Amino acid sequence: MAMTNISSKEFWRFYGIFIGIIIFLFGTLFLMVRLSENKWNQGLKEAVVKELEKKQPDMWIVGKEIPLKSAFSESAALFEIRQKKSVEKYYAIIIRSATLFGHFPAVFIYNKKNGVKFIGYSAVNGKIGRLIDQSYSDSSIYYWSQRIPSIINHAEKS
């Protein structure tokens, strides 16, 4: 067995290079995640705007995103909205919901006075869009209609 004699100086140099590479890789990974997160949230906001315009044209202004500090943050996004002719505060939430054709993003609006209203499934067009509109799962919509007020109340408190 051959033993190599490495001086302490060489060891620390190699160790420093190794740690530098690891820090660089983690830093790059962190930066990429942050950049893609902003793009993802912007895409969700555009999906909400598109669905609101499709179902209730020229009626809503979509504002800032409200962070969801709960388990729902991975499958939902919450936005402040208001009607163009009113200052009353509403919320739009886009959340992944089960349908007969798989999971699709469902858009709901919420107001404390009026409760929850299902708007439609975003990003679904063509034949599947027509089929879902004709036979959407009432139980899934009902479930989220019951859960959304508590999700929004929790987000308001955070």
Side-chain angles (χ1 to χ4, degrees):
M1 299 187 148
M3 293 188 66
T4 59
N5 282 338
I6 314 177
S7 70
S8 176
K9 185 178 179 180
E10 287 179 27
F11 170 78
W12 286 111
R13 193 182 89 187
F14 286 127
Y15 184 73
I17 290 171
F18 175 73
I19 294 299
I21 290 171
I22 297 295
I23 289 172
F24 174 76
L25 290 176
F26 278 115
T28 303
L29 181 64
F30 178 77
L31 181 66
M32 292 298 134
V33 167
R34 294 297 298 173
L35 290 173
S36 66
E37 182 181 40
N38 291 336
K39 185 76 171 161
W40 176 259
N41 290 342
Q42 185 61 33
L44 290 174
K45 184 175 182 177
E46 289 172 11
V48 167
V49 169
K50 212 182 254 188
E51 190 63 25
L52 288 172
E53 283 298 314
K54 186 168 73 172
K55 300 292 171 121
Q56 299 175 344
D58 205 32
M59 186 174 170
W60 298 100
I61 297 172
V62 179
K64 67 177 184 165
E65 179 184 10
I66 299 170
L68 292 172
K69 307 240 187 251
S70 68
F72 293 108
S73 64
E74 296 299 319
S75 61
L78 180 64
F79 300 94
E80 287 183 353
I81 63 172
R82 68 174 181 83
Q83 293 179 342
K84 288 186 177 180
K85 298 177 182 173
S86 172
V87 293
E88 197 172 359
K89 190 175 186 179
Y90 284 83
Y91 295 99
I93 187 166
I94 184 167
I95 194 159
R96 186 175 50 170
S97 179
T99 69
L100 295 172
F101 302 99
H103 286 85
F104 288 104
V107 177
F108 295 86
I109 57 174
Y110 172 76
N111 178 302
K112 288 185 181 185
K113 185 173 86 175
N114 301 324
V116 177
K117 182 179 178 190
F118 174 67
I119 299 298
Y121 290 102
S122 179
V124 180
N125 296 314
K127 186 177 182 181
I128 290 182
R130 287 190 304 276
L131 289 171
I132 287 177
D133 283 342
Q134 292 169 1
S135 65
Y136 62 82
S137 172
D138 289 331
S139 62
S140 179
I141 302 303
Y142 177 77
Y143 172 79
W144 287 117
S145 295
Q146 299 302 309
R147 294 284 301 163
I148 286 173
S150 65
I151 294 169
I152 292 174
N153 287 337
H154 182 50
E156 285 180 327
K157 290 176 186 175
S158 298

